[in-house]
Amino acid sequence: NAGVMQNPRHLVRRRGQEARLRCSPMKGHSHVYWYRQLPEEGLKFMVYLQKENIIDESGMPKERFSAEFPKEGPSILRIQQVVRGDSAAYFCASSPWPGDTQYFGPGTRLTVL
Amino acid sequence: DQQVKQNSPSLSVQEGRISILNCDYTNSMFDYFLWYKKYPAEGPTFLISISSIKDKNEDGRFTVFLNKSAKHLSLHIVPSQPGDSAVYFCAAHTGAGSYQLTFGKGTKLSVIP
């Protein structure tokens, strides 16, 4: 399966814990995007990364959220000290270059108890 | 401020008939529009796109129409099939090199056999 992979598919955390979401882009894609979908809402852009670089994090909350895309391995979206309002579906997408069609992974559904 | 609006949360259509999903936008800088289809517990799947230099794009049973003066686009599915039952998201970005997709809230299409 050469599609975008995300894991875990479901993640349950208690308030105050950390959540780590992983995304492996499609083969040949070096551009990764993270989106968040709150219940009954559309997807909202969070951050755009290339290998080892954050290009645009204008959609990321200013605190507790960070993202990386290291030279080796998947992209990671990290949420520290989670709160109930962080409960959402987090989708990763990738493309071969910026502006090209983005292909989405299956998402990680984060539930904060 | 919702820059991409899908005013119909749901739509039911008989199998074999035409499904028409509508989308309005407010940002005149949007230059490229996409439709994604999403099944429950899966990520959005790219369906069809259109550039602002065109007013129509067709791919098999799917046609997207763009009316720039009205800031309106629509997705036509004909004939509709039960497997088309899903949530359809309209998305837009500001053109060449742009990567931030702005999504509508989605329309849930149910195709009744």
Side-chain angles (χ1 to χ4, degrees), chain A residues 12-69:
Chain A
V12 179
R13 286 286 179 266
R14 296 192 181 280
R15 279 180 296 168
Q17 292 184 319
E18 179 180 289
R20 281 186 178 236
L21 289 64
R22 294 175 199 79
C23 168
S24 296
M26 284 179 74
K27 192 173 183 180
H29 289 192
S30 57
H31 301 265
V32 167
Y33 317 83
W34 286 92
Y35 291 81
R36 176 166 69 173
Q37 184 185 23
L38 295 170
E40 309 302 321
E41 296 287 325
L43 284 73
K44 297 274 195 313
F45 170 81
M46 298 181 75
V47 61
Y48 160 43
L49 310 103
Q50 295 178 24
K51 284 282 188 185
E52 300 184 278
N53 285 303
I54 298 174
I55 307 302
D56 180 354
E57 56 183 347
S58 60
M60 289 269 272
K62 295 283 186 278
E63 297 176 350
R64 303 186 297 107
F65 284 71
S66 62
E68 61 176 9
F69 189 13

Side-chain angles (χ1 to χ4, degrees), chain A residues 9-10 33 35 37 40-45 48 55-56 58-59 91 98-107 109, chain B residues 2 32 34 36 38-46 49 89 93 95-106:
Chain A
R9 294 291 306 275
H10 300 274
Y33 317 83
Y35 291 81
Q37 184 185 23
E40 309 302 321
E41 296 287 325
L43 284 73
K44 297 274 195 313
F45 170 81
Y48 160 43
I55 307 302
D56 180 354
S58 60
F91 293 97
D100 206 344
T101 301
Q102 295 178 21
Y103 294 89
F104 284 81
R109 275 141 193 90
Chain B
Q2 273 254 269
Y32 198 80
L34 308 91
Y36 283 84
K38 186 180 179 302
Y39 293 117
E42 294 186 12
T45 302
F46 170 72
S49 61
F89 289 98
H93 68 64
S98 173
Y99 46 79
Q100 268 200 38
L101 288 175
T102 301
F103 282 83
K105 290 188 178 184

Side-chain angles (χ1 to χ4, degrees), chain B residues 75-93:
Chain B
L75 174 68
H76 292 213
I77 307 173
V78 55
S80 302
Q81 299 173 354
D84 296 330
S85 297
V87 177
Y88 289 78
F89 289 98
C90 173
H93 68 64

Side-chain angles (χ1 to χ4, degrees), chain B residues 6-25:
Chain B
Q6 293 179 257
N7 291 320
S8 298
S10 62
L11 175 69
S12 288
V13 170
Q14 207 72 32
E15 182 179 3
R17 300 287 186 109
I18 185 171
S19 295
I20 300 176
L21 295 98
N22 293 305
C23 177
D24 297 293
Y25 61 96

